[in-house]
Amino acid sequence: MAIIKTTYNRRSFLKTTALAGGGMMIGFSWLTGCQPAPEAGLEIPKEWFEINSFLKIGENGVVTIMSPNPEFGQNVKTAMPMIVAEELDVDWKNVIVEQAPFNTDLYTRQMAGGSQSIRQGWQGLRMAGATARQMLREAAAQAWQVPVEEISTEAGVLYHKNSDKSAGYGEMAAAAANIPVPEEVQLKEVKDFKIIGKSRKNVDGLKIVTGQPLFGVDYSRDGMLIAMIAHPPAFGMKLKSVDDSAARNMPGIKDIFTIKTYEDDYERNAFDTNTFPELVAIVGNTTWEVMNAKKALRIEWEPFSDYSETVNSWGGKQDVRIPAGLESTTAHITKMAEMAAKPGNVLRKDGDPEAAFKNAAKVIERTYTAPFLAHNCMEPMNFFAHVTADKAELAGPLQAPEFIEQTLSARLGMPLEKIDIQMTRMGGGFGRRAYSHHMVEAAVISQKVNAPVKLLYTREDDMTFGIYRPAYHATYRAALDADNKLIAYHVKAGGIPESPLGRAANRFPAGAVDNYLAEEWAIASNITIGAFRAPRSNFLAGAEQSFLDEVAEAAGKDPIEFRLELLERAQNNPVGETNDYEAARYAGVLELAREKSGWGQEAPNVFRGVAAYFCHNSYVAHVLDLTIENGAPRVEKVCCAIDCGIVINPDAAANMAEGAIVDGIGNAFFGAMTFKEGVPEKNNFDNYRMIRMSEAPRAIDVHFVQNDIDPTGMGEPPFPPIFGAVANALYKATGKRSYNQPFLGEKPVLG
Amino acid sequence: MAIFNLNINGKKQQVDVDPNTPILWVLRDHLNLVGTKYGCGIAQCGACTIHLGEVAMRSCMLPISVVGNQPITTIEGLSENGDHPVQKAWLDHDVAQCGYCQTGQIMNAAAFLKANPNPSDEEIEAAMNGNICRCGTYTRIKAAIKTAAAG
């Protein structure tokens, strides 16, 4: 029986009202203040009783559960409250969900990133529900004068079977609110789950399909002005001068000025990336007026010289050099090839790879590349800010408020308790909104014009601002002996401006090969980069899984069987002690995908590719079926097997996997940001090709490994391996290997 | 600036704006109808789709001066309570991830199904190709359109 101490962040169990003197945790709220749309027939209670900061119970038994983390489509706003509701043992039909205010004292990790919301929230959310349930049982025991052990619960009702008494949670809520927080609570057994593991609809579904205001761009306030920014047209350039004489007098324009997002001597953290330190701000009454004035500005830009920034990140302080220059993709490609030809920094070495390669019967060497990628969230960067002398109110889409609140506090010279950040629903994030420079810009602009302001990036501003997925390059070598056994494996990977390899040097097939070498390198650049759905893995998986496919073919083995043999080695007799994956679970998803896809029974003219990967604590394998229609590849079907432990909301999790698969196919086929003389060559959806419906798979089947392991990542893991599955299926279809993304380039791949 | 008398979601509205203002910004900034979304500003993503008369149009490049007497329908006016068959199908299939593009997808699908109540998969793909979903919910969008057509 799982009994756990409630010591984990006990402040979470303090009532928010008791903390009200301390600040703004339940103060005004545009998002939580409006009456949530209840399920049909759900009556809003007359009175609420706060049991802890995660939940309150109405006198009629309706429960409000706070969803702590930002929502950007991963559907944690449904899944996280499901976990609370499970342990509370309430009927999901009686639950209303609200977005929690940003307050890490109460809710600990309030961040959307690294596929960690469910994994890291799991224990605390269960505890919040179980603690409340325990307090309700105590209240019932006191009311009925019976031992608490004899009180059972089911679907929001307390029972004392011996005396045939029962009461709804609402009847005991007032008393429960005054029960001391228990020292320890009992959690449910997995087999007893009634909500977790059963698909529940998106709690914001109706608001989404009826177009109600949910997103940052929808935020509005009386007297609010609209702001836009102009940033340099090229990386390597900075502001020289602004002539606003034509723009200033245009209709609706209030002010035009330059801003520095951060002070010159500011020591930034790893998520304060802002690309262009100085911007032109245009402020006016309406979006259209501001857009027109922006076009009428005459701005001169000039190249900047090399400079350094002090970045104070988890690894300590470091000086980062930003090189001068106007960079081009063609030069990047040449430079990467040059770096790849030199020795890299060795990350891991097992056995004697040099000797093994020398004595090999067969050596296969292949090089893979991938371009920069723009995130292209459908909702462009935006933020609302109202900064006055006493306080700063911010509302908008951001993945990681805790990364930016100190930055904002420093920039405004205002203590944290005077800053309130509301997390609106995000129109996509994909890592981009972990970097919230746009929030600071909105605040600085609001402070300057002394009014509430909504800052909006145009699509072009958004796409050309940087913070891209880096460009990558990897060379793999494999040595086979005379029996076609893989005896040595060598990966040398790098990128602009970072290597994709790092800790991934300890992932498969490390541990499965006696002689192993992993090296990395990097080339400095002034093009800024940031996290992009499954950072680094989103390149490595595709390259490595394409390479293994080719090695399996050279060894004359079935590609799944080849991987399983290696995994068996890693399981039974691993090489090294720092391997960062569980071989049995990795093999498990390959076996499940093999079974569910009917591997080996392909229909005529259907070309199959397989790939698998481990990242963000989860295992995923894909089998992808591709056909050629009118000379172009079309993905017919993807069969996907996932091991992410316990699945909270299966249909929503399947939706995430489907999205990751479509996203991956789109980026594998078309995704690329390129540069000429520092200028991004793509700035909107007419020239940056995004996957569309007619290019998406006709069918996607998602299968989850059933186990009782605590839940792990879900938003990112299905994304990286799809690149490999696409490449391997394309090879079957065309007889040609795809080494350079995007695989279909700017023109059809098939002549 | 000029005065425009508009019929939006069955309601008469008057705005005084620059005649070149795209309908998108009239809806969002002047009439507080924010379900119609800005995505690209160049009619390439479909997030801003509305109905002009019965035709799905991208509102981000359509100046208010071209509206004339034609009634405008936005997502807010597609149904009284979110119970248009397309909206219901979207909920049945739990289509949305981030949800930002979905109002444009729904408006496009609703106009398409009115003109072609029994579409093939290929016709659905052709009709919906102008609407980008960055989250990649295309398989669910297609399934929801088929459900709406069948229902």
Side-chain angles (χ1 to χ4, degrees):
Chain A
M1 193 58 68
I3 294 177
I4 55 164
K5 297 269 183 215
T6 56
T7 48
Y8 172 84
N9 188 34
R10 286 185 60 86
R11 287 197 68 185
S12 299
F13 301 105
L14 297 175
K15 293 168 187 62
T16 48
T17 44
L19 280 170
M24 312 181 71
M25 48 282 297
I26 58 162
F28 90 96
S29 173
W30 170 76
L31 291 165
T32 59
C34 59
Q35 199 69 270
E39 298 288 329
L42 206 56
E43 226 170 274
I44 300 301
K46 292 177 193 72
E47 201 174 358
W48 288 108
F49 302 98
E50 291 197 18
I51 310 297
N52 57 47
S53 62
F54 286 89
L55 65 100
K56 56 187 180 184
I57 301 178
E59 89 289 339
N60 63 352
V62 170
V63 178
T64 293
I65 300 179
M66 292 293 181
S67 181
N69 284 20
E71 172 64 55
F72 61 177
Q74 81 281 44
N75 211 358
V76 288
K77 196 171 172 187
T78 307
M80 295 183 96
M82 281 172 70
I83 300 169
V84 177
E86 179 69 69
E87 292 291 350
L88 178 61
D89 205 17
V90 68
D91 190 332
W92 183 248
K93 287 205 294 284
N94 282 331
V95 172
I96 292 170
V97 171
E98 285 184 18
Q99 178 71 55
F102 172 56
N103 185 331
T104 51
D105 280 347
L106 297 176
Y107 300 105
T108 63
R109 183 186 185 279
Q110 291 185 279
M111 187 190 146
S115 296
Q116 296 298 305
S117 288
I118 298 294
R119 178 171 174 259
Q120 296 202 30
W122 177 240
Q123 194 83 329
L125 294 164
R126 293 184 78 186
M127 206 180 295
T131 305
R133 175 176 170 270
Q134 177 65 14
M135 288 157 75
L136 288 158
R137 289 171 71 220
E138 294 275 1
Q142 285 179 16
W144 298 332
Q145 294 294 301
V146 297
V148 68
E149 297 75 34
E150 295 179 8
I151 307 283
S152 62
T153 61
E154 197 183 337
V157 181
L158 295 142
Y159 294 95
H160 184 249
K161 294 261 158 70
N162 296 345
S163 63
D164 208 23
K165 285 194 173 76
S166 70
Y169 281 4
E171 295 169 62
M172 293 293 170
N178 292 314
I179 299 279
V181 177
E183 288 294 319
E184 55 183 30
V185 291
Q186 193 173 308
L187 298 179
K188 283 187 178 178
E189 301 280 355
V190 172
K191 67 176 172 52
D192 296 326
F193 284 168
K194 296 189 185 87
I195 296 174
I196 291 172
K198 312 277 189 301
S199 295
R200 309 285 169 172
K201 300 287 190 204
N202 187 331
V203 294
D204 277 340
L206 186 63
K207 289 182 182 175
I208 289 168
V209 303
T210 53
Q212 292 178 49
L214 285 169
F215 299 92
V217 290
D218 303 338
Y219 199 97
S220 185
R221 186 74 71 82
D222 284 346
M224 184 179 82
L225 300 174
I226 301 292
M228 289 197 168
I229 52 101
H231 67 67
F235 297 91
M237 303 284 269
K238 63 173 183 173
L239 185 65
K240 187 182 177 194
S241 68
V242 188
D243 172 2
D244 63 12
S245 52
R248 182 163 282 282
N249 297 318
M250 286 173 70
I253 297 308
K254 295 283 182 187
D255 204 351
I256 296 169
F257 47 90
T258 62
I259 60 164
K260 283 194 170 179
T261 309
Y262 308 132
E263 306 281 6
D264 284 338
D265 56 351
Y266 176 63
E267 273 182 18
R268 63 183 187 87
N269 75 44
F271 288 83
D272 285 337
T273 310
N274 74 326
T275 311
F276 303 112
E278 192 173 18
L279 306 166
V280 183
I282 310 100
V283 185
N285 289 330
T286 66
T287 312
W288 181 243
E289 289 166 326
V290 175
M291 273 181 174
N292 285 328
K294 187 183 167 193
K295 284 180 198 144
L297 288 172
R298 285 191 211 99
I299 310 176
E300 280 189 287
W301 314 94
E302 63 186 348
F304 62 64
S305 311
D306 284 19
Y307 68 98
S308 289
E309 283 182 333
T310 305
V311 177
N312 196 347
S313 69
W314 300 297
K317 280 188 198 180
Q318 69 185 117
D319 282 331
V320 178
R321 188 179 68 89
I322 317 294
L326 302 176
E327 301 177 23
S328 296
T329 298
T330 47
H332 283 161
I333 291 168
T334 309
K335 270 190 182 175
M336 289 202 290
E338 283 167 10
M339 279 299 281
K342 298 177 196 166
N345 299 321
V346 174
L347 293 166
R348 173 166 167 163
K349 187 174 175 180
D350 298 326
D352 186 351
E354 291 83 357
F357 276 105
K358 208 171 153 198
N359 300 327
K362 234 183 265 179
V363 173
I364 303 135
E365 177 176 328
R366 299 290 182 263
T367 293
Y368 301 82
T369 66
F372 287 89
L373 295 175
H375 295 76
N376 295 339
C377 305
M378 287 309 290
E379 180 192 18
M381 298 303 117
N382 69 88
F383 231 90
F384 168 85
H386 189 198
V387 178
T388 61
D390 322 321
K391 62 178 179 177
E393 296 172 47
L394 295 308
L398 80 176
Q399 288 178 233
E402 61 204 84
F403 289 166
I404 199 76
E405 60 167 352
Q406 297 280 359
T407 308
L408 184 69
S409 170
R411 181 61 179 85
L412 297 178
M414 195 177 263
L416 282 182
E417 57 267 24
K418 292 187 172 181
I419 294 174
D420 182 67
I421 302 173
Q422 286 186 58
M423 303 175 286
T424 58
R425 189 178 187 88
M426 287 175 268
F430 309 101
R432 177 61 180 85
R433 284 192 238 267
Y435 309 83
S436 297
H437 56 87
H438 48 290
M439 184 184 92
V440 181
E441 291 156 20
V444 171
I445 294 168
S446 170
Q447 196 174 40
K448 176 81 169 37
V449 298
N450 194 25
V453 161
K454 181 163 67 184
L455 169 69
L456 176 68
Y457 277 37
T458 63
R459 173 57 56 197
E460 291 83 359
D461 295 334
D462 183 293
M463 200 180 285
T464 59
F465 197 93
I467 316 196
Y468 302 125
R469 198 284 301 267
Y472 290 127
H473 183 290
T475 300
Y476 291 83
R477 284 197 302 154
L480 299 172
D481 68 9
D483 297 328
N484 283 318
K485 188 173 166 252
L486 181 63
I487 53 167
Y489 187 90
H490 176 201
V491 51
K492 189 198 290 181
I496 304 172
E498 64 154 34
S499 156
L501 204 50
R503 284 175 299 171
N506 290 318
R507 289 195 197 142
F508 182 77
V513 190
D514 287 309
N515 305 291
Y516 176 89
L517 177 63
E519 304 173 77
E520 68 176 1
W521 49 267
I523 297 169
S525 170
N526 56 38
I527 298 169
T528 53
I529 56 135
F532 185 111
R533 194 175 206 165
R536 299 173 282 281
S537 301
N538 60 33
F539 167 68
L540 285 176
E544 167 207 297
Q545 291 291 308
S546 302
F547 183 64
L548 287 178
D549 205 69
E550 203 163 344
V551 176
E553 187 183 38
K557 291 179 183 168
D558 170 79
I560 294 183
E561 201 50 47
F562 177 71
R563 288 170 174 81
L564 291 175
E565 280 172 22
L566 290 171
L567 286 161
E568 196 178 348
R569 166 73 201 276
Q571 168 80 358
N572 297 332
N573 181 22
V575 181
E577 283 165 5
T578 54
N579 301 322
D580 175 28
Y581 62 98
E582 289 176 49
R585 292 180 75 189
Y586 200 130
V589 290
L590 274 165
E591 284 163 349
L592 183 61
R594 178 167 68 177
E595 177 206 324
K596 297 291 183 185
S597 67
W599 182 257
Q601 304 149 39
E602 293 86 334
N605 298 317
V606 173
F607 305 98
R608 287 200 139 166
V610 65
Y613 204 65
F614 164 72
C615 69
H616 299 84
N617 317 95
S618 293
Y619 301 81
V620 176
H622 297 301
V623 171
L624 182 144
D625 290 356
L626 186 140
T627 55
I628 302 295
E629 288 175 11
N630 305 320
R634 177 74 191 259
V635 180
E636 279 297 320
K637 186 175 171 178
V638 177
C639 176
C640 162
I642 302 175
D643 182 350
C644 60
I646 294 166
V647 181
I648 311 303
N649 192 7
D651 187 51
N655 197 350
M656 283 301 291
E658 291 159 23
I661 286 164
V662 172
D663 187 3
I665 292 169
N667 279 300
F669 278 167
F670 315 120
M673 176 55 91
T674 56
F675 307 90
K676 197 169 180 187
E677 298 290 307
V679 178
E681 291 186 292
K682 296 156 190 215
N683 63 1
N684 206 324
F685 297 132
D686 56 338
N687 48 31
Y688 195 112
R689 190 163 170 193
M690 310 286 288
I691 189 167
R692 291 171 186 267
M693 187 187 273
S694 67
E695 294 144 350
R698 290 206 166 91
I700 301 172
D701 282 349
V702 181
H703 305 274
F704 294 100
V705 173
Q706 302 293 321
N707 60 37
D708 289 353
I709 297 169
D710 283 355
T712 53
M714 184 54 233
E716 289 162 286
F719 182 64
I722 199 72
F723 291 82
V726 168
N728 297 337
L730 268 179
Y731 167 66
K732 293 284 184 190
T734 64
K736 282 189 208 149
R737 292 279 175 186
S738 297
Y739 298 109
N740 304 300
Q741 289 175 33
F743 298 145
L744 303 193
E746 303 290 331
K747 53 186 184 302
V749 72
L750 306 158
Chain B
M1 304 292 263
I3 298 217
F4 294 92
N5 290 300
L6 305 167
N7 175 351
I8 301 180
N9 300 331
K11 211 169 126 188
K12 298 228 178 306
Q13 302 267 15
Q14 194 178 72
V15 291
D16 183 7
V17 296
D18 167 9
N20 292 321
T21 310
I23 296 171
L24 170 68
W25 298 114
V26 174
L27 294 171
R28 292 188 60 86
D29 284 355
H30 298 268
L31 300 170
N32 199 28
L33 291 167
V34 296
T36 307
K37 297 298 193 236
Y38 168 70
C40 66
I42 57 168
Q44 292 292 308
C45 79
C48 65
T49 305
I50 58 161
H51 298 171
L52 194 59
E54 293 196 346
V55 182
M57 300 288 277
R58 310 296 186 231
S59 66
C60 69
M61 289 188 87
L62 205 60
I64 196 69
S65 57
V66 306
V67 173
N69 298 324
Q70 300 172 88
I72 292 171
T73 307
T74 70
I75 188 71
E76 291 89 348
L78 186 64
S79 65
E80 283 276 317
N81 304 305
D83 52 4
H84 184 281
V86 173
Q87 287 169 314
K88 277 161 68 179
W90 245 249
L91 293 173
D92 282 351
H93 289 270
D94 220 3
V95 170
Q97 285 186 34
C98 87
Y100 191 81
C101 75
Q102 300 296 351
T103 50
Q105 304 271 4
I106 289 167
M107 293 306 283
N108 203 63
F112 164 64
L113 284 176
K114 200 158 190 182
N116 182 356
N118 233 325
S120 67
D121 280 27
E122 288 67 30
E123 287 169 335
I124 295 173
E125 287 179 2
M128 298 303 293
N129 242 22
N131 288 71
I132 296 173
C133 173
R134 173 69 182 86
C135 299
T137 64
Y138 295 124
T139 48
R140 284 181 190 239
I141 291 173
K142 196 196 285 178
I145 290 173
K146 286 157 101 169
T147 297

